[in-house]
Amino acid sequence: MKNILITGGAGFVGSHVVRLFVNSYPNYHIFNLDALTYAGNLENLKDVEQKQNYTFIKGDITDATFINSLFEAHQFAAVIHLAAESHVDRSIKEPLAFVKTNILGTINLLEAFKTIWNHDFSEKRFYHISTDEVYGTLGATGLFTEATAYDPNSPYSASKASSDHFVRAYGETYGMPYVISNCSNNYGPNQFPEKLIPLFINNIINNKPLPVYGDGNYTRDWLYVIDHANAIDLVFHKGKNKETYNIGGFNEWKNIDLVKLLCKQMDVKLGRPLGTSEELITYVKDRPGHDLRYAIDASKIKSELGWQPSVTFEEGLGLTINWYLENKEWLNHVTSGEYQDYYEKQYT
Ligand code: NAD
Ligand code: DAU
């Protein structure tokens, strides 16, 4: 049995990746390492916690001593690294937390992986899960390809760009086998309600204002989280060493159009008259350094690995809304305590 380390597996994307790997690969033992920050939640993984090939470890990737002893004990054949501070707005207020986890934490993992294999990396792989935000912003036209130059604009994207560079540097300098994927905006079940879609679903449920930044004419390329997890599975198993793969939904939406679609679907599902939720839309102060447009050219992963999204946006959004409506207890748990404090500071 191969020991595989997945970091950040109690978070949004990570929990879907852990579930997929635990259920699909009984010959892997999946170790989920997560610090359980405000974004980490073991309720996301209740259905896999009893599985024989799964172990949860609470721990912080910024703690080098702990990380070294963990790698020594379990001799991980591969790492799928998702643990990160992931919210742009938080990075604007607290950049140092992003430097610590996203840069130093990644270097700790790279160092520990290098040390246990002592330069003998046959059949080993370090997979860094990254973001399209490293490419900066697009104007009205064009797409991000794997050859687009890095040009990050927020502390979050600068920290992810830096960690991508360190992963490449370990590949070039120490011969460490790696692969990187840069994905567009995910949505789906279990996303913490600080990000646009779950925040607005929660606010609509509670009849609270929907704070649209600036004029709402910013564009994102949305992908259902389970399609991202499937892409990660393919890149992990079939992606070429030292390659980068862009992952995207072929699905661009201006924020304001997305919010209006969300409002319509919510009105139908909540049995409210059409137009009720749209009345909650409130234009608020813009995000500093707000990237105008992200859009991914995902033709490489499509042609080389045969990946494509499995659901349309309308279907995925419907599934997502259903999940939040059916999991109000989950929402209540994550929106108590620290969340209230964050919300006050961010929106009032
Ligand atoms: P998330 O914030 O939901 O989850 C992050 C997880 O990492 C949490 O479980 C948290 O407890 C854990 N974590 C944070 N700091 C840690 C530390 N110091 N040590 C150990 N664990 C720590 O994030 P997400 O949206 O699931 O994103 C996961 C990864 O995917 C990130 O690397 C992010 O950059 C990348 N990504 C996300 C998206 C997206 O739209 N969500 C898109 C592209 C790439
Ligand atoms: O592109 C991939 C990235 O997508 C990931 O790497 C990040 O981890 C993830 O958080 C996401 O970043 P964004 O900043 O694009 O996502 P967010 O949901 O925060 O915002 C989406 C858009 O909605 C963005 O243009 C800002 C806007 N927005 C967001 C919030 C939270 C609002 O208008 N109002 C809001 O309250």
Side-chain angles (χ1 to χ4, degrees):
M1 202 181 237
K2 261 188 183 175
N3 285 349
I4 311 266
L5 178 69
I6 299 183
T7 69
F12 167 48
V13 183
S15 59
H16 290 279
V17 175
V18 165
R19 175 175 301 103
L20 180 66
F21 274 68
V22 167
N23 289 333
S24 309
Y25 301 105
N27 55 327
Y28 294 165
H29 193 106
I30 300 299
F31 290 81
N32 170 14
L33 169 66
D34 197 296
L36 299 182
T37 68
Y38 78 92
N41 185 350
L42 289 178
E43 283 180 52
N44 295 345
L45 286 167
K46 280 216 164 314
D47 54 321
V48 299
E49 66 190 9
Q50 300 301 334
K51 300 267 172 143
Q52 294 286 313
N53 65 334
Y54 173 70
T55 303
F56 173 72
I57 298 164
K58 185 171 188 295
D60 191 330
I61 61 169
T62 66
D63 180 347
T65 311
F66 161 72
I67 290 296
N68 289 336
S69 62
L70 189 71
F71 276 67
E72 186 60 41
H74 300 293
Q75 302 284 302
F76 301 116
V79 177
I80 305 177
H81 175 36
L82 297 103
E85 289 292 341
S86 69
H87 191 38
V88 173
D89 292 328
R90 289 188 192 247
S91 83
I92 293 165
K93 295 214 157 73
E94 277 185 77
L96 209 55
F98 287 67
V99 171
K100 283 185 186 146
T101 287
N102 299 359
I103 306 177
L104 294 179
T106 301
I107 296 169
N108 285 340
L109 295 169
L110 290 165
E111 265 302 295
F113 196 62
K114 169 164 82 73
T115 304
I116 56 165
W117 298 116
N118 195 20
H119 305 280
D120 177 8
F121 290 116
S122 73
E123 311 263 315
K124 308 296 180 300
R125 170 155 277 192
F126 191 102
Y127 181 4
H128 187 223
I129 307 301
S130 192
T131 170
D132 61 355
E133 299 200 13
V134 298
Y135 299 124
T137 189
L138 291 163
T141 58
L143 298 171
F144 294 135
T145 73
E146 287 80 0
T148 303
Y150 277 31
D151 191 19
N153 289 317
S154 72
Y156 163 68
S157 53
S159 69
K160 292 295 289 187
S162 174
S163 51
D164 280 358
H165 290 322
F166 271 100
V167 173
R168 278 173 216 276
Y170 271 67
E172 292 305 317
T173 309
Y174 307 111
M176 182 183 288
Y178 73 86
V179 67
I180 297 173
S181 56
N182 297 83
C183 190
S184 63
N185 288 62
N186 286 211
Y187 70 97
N190 306 95
Q191 188 168 30
F192 192 79
E194 63 186 352
K195 310 281 166 65
L196 181 73
I197 290 179
L199 175 78
F200 280 30
I201 291 174
N202 188 40
N203 284 13
I204 291 170
I205 293 172
N206 293 299
N207 281 309
K208 285 173 69 176
L210 305 178
V212 172
Y213 294 160
D215 60 5
N217 284 318
Y218 295 88
T219 299
R220 297 291 182 265
D221 175 355
W222 293 92
L223 178 68
Y224 193 54
V225 64
I226 291 170
D227 283 325
H228 187 192
N230 289 332
I232 288 172
D233 184 356
L234 270 178
V235 171
F236 180 70
H237 289 101
K238 299 199 170 129
K240 287 192 201 131
N241 186 31
K242 294 190 176 183
E243 291 279 328
T244 284
Y245 293 86
N246 279 357
I247 307 170
F250 307 97
N251 179 43
E252 285 183 54
W253 284 81
K254 280 196 171 159
N255 290 343
I256 190 62
D257 296 335
L258 183 160
V259 169
K260 286 182 178 166
L261 174 69
L262 178 67
C263 286
K264 281 200 189 77
Q265 288 207 5
M266 288 294 291
D267 283 345
V268 172
K269 290 192 194 280
L270 292 170
R272 295 174 178 172
L274 272 183
T276 309
S277 299
E278 264 194 46
E279 282 173 20
L280 297 169
I281 292 174
T282 313
Y283 292 92
V284 300
K285 199 167 112 224
D286 210 348
R287 172 185 280 177
H290 200 164
D291 286 330
L292 178 68
R293 177 172 164 259
Y294 305 147
I296 284 275
D297 177 352
S299 50
K300 178 176 172 182
I301 187 170
K302 193 174 178 195
S303 65
E304 281 190 20
L305 306 184
W307 175 86
Q308 58 183 18
S310 66
V311 293
T312 65
F313 187 55
E314 284 75 3
E315 285 165 350
L317 195 59
L319 291 170
T320 305
I321 296 170
N322 289 348
W323 187 86
Y324 282 94
L325 293 178
E326 286 157 14
N327 289 276
K328 290 219 178 101
E329 204 182 330
W330 183 97
L331 255 183
N332 290 339
H333 287 171
V334 302
T335 53
S336 56
E338 193 267 354
Y339 183 80
Q340 299 300 335
D341 192 36
Y342 165 77
Y343 200 90
E344 287 289 309
K345 286 196 184 121
Q346 181 64 23
Y347 294 104
T348 52

